Amino acid sequence: MRAVRSFVRREGRLTAGQRRALDALAGRYTLDPAGGPLEPAAVFGRHAPFLLEIGCGAGELLVSLATARPEQDYLGIEVYRPGVGRLLQALARQGCDNVRVLASDAAEVLEQRLRPESLDGVYVFFPDPWPKKRHHKRRLLNRDVLGCIASRLKEHGRLYVATDWSDYAAAVLEAARQVPQLTNLGAGAELAPRPRWRPLTRFERRALDAGRPVIDLVFARAC
Ligand SMILES: C[S@@+](CC[C@H](N)C(=O)[O-])C[C@H]1O[C@@H](n2cnc3c(N)ncnc32)[C@H](O)[C@@H]1O
């Protein structure tokens, strides 16, 4: 897979609460960033549907899905530590035991830690847009990463994407056409309706305030 650096490593400023959460809750929720392939059954102690969110930020989606669907297991990948700190705080508040977090580069985790056909679903909501043309190569969802996601999905597993950058959505559609394992489930112009379970995060709110419509895409892993 062509290496893609889709983020700038920013430590950000951790609040005291986030730092405490990172220290105290790491053992309960975070996985060792170094290690071999993940075995969800060993991590969660059960066999259950296994879903991944890439770039989960402060984890609004993960917390809401994991709370609503306790019979499913979730992995969130996020490089921004203050976001991970907020997510751990929220998980502890809700008492979620079906979520684990990896503070690592998602492209590396996909390639090195996740087994082929191990995921029932993948969510990539509001990936960093890198709007300048010279930065487009830093966009996470290129053809190689989409191909890798497709290979990690089980048959009929779904990939959900949302972005408020129409040229990024067009590029994802174009790249996905080159991944034979992905079938676009969208209808008109191959776009999908907004999933009702997707919470409104500050990134979506910011887009709507700026007058940028949000585009949802859904793909299925073909046989
Ligand atoms: C614009 S934010 C969206 C956050 C969240 N999905 C939402 O909708 O609120 C994009 C997030 O992706 C994270 N990110 C970008 N590239 C990443 C990568 N390669 N691996 C893990 N996280 C990444 C960023 O740190 C950031 O938190």
Side-chain angles (χ1 to χ4, degrees), residues 18 22 24 94 100 107 134 137 168 174 194 204 209 211 220:
Q18 289 163 0
L22 285 167
Q94 295 294 323
R100 295 294 182 278
R134 69 174 189 279
K137 58 181 179 295
Y168 197 175
E174 176 53 33
R194 183 189 198 283
E204 180 165 19
D209 288 348

Side-chain angles (χ1 to χ4, degrees), residues 85-99:
R86 282 175 61 192
L87 169 56
L88 300 192
Q89 288 174 309
L91 291 174
R93 245 188 337 263
Q94 295 294 323
C96 292
D97 282 324
N98 53 340
V99 180

Side-chain angles (χ1 to χ4, degrees), residues 2 21 26 55-56 67 71 94 105 108 113 119-120 128 151 154 164 182 193 215 222:
R2 182 165 61 82
C56 57
T67 310
E71 71 286 0
Q94 295 294 323
D105 178 356
E108 287 176 13
R113 306 287 307 276
L119 293 166
D120 291 271
D128 289 329
S151 73
K154 295 178 189 166
D164 50 305
L182 286 181
I215 297 158

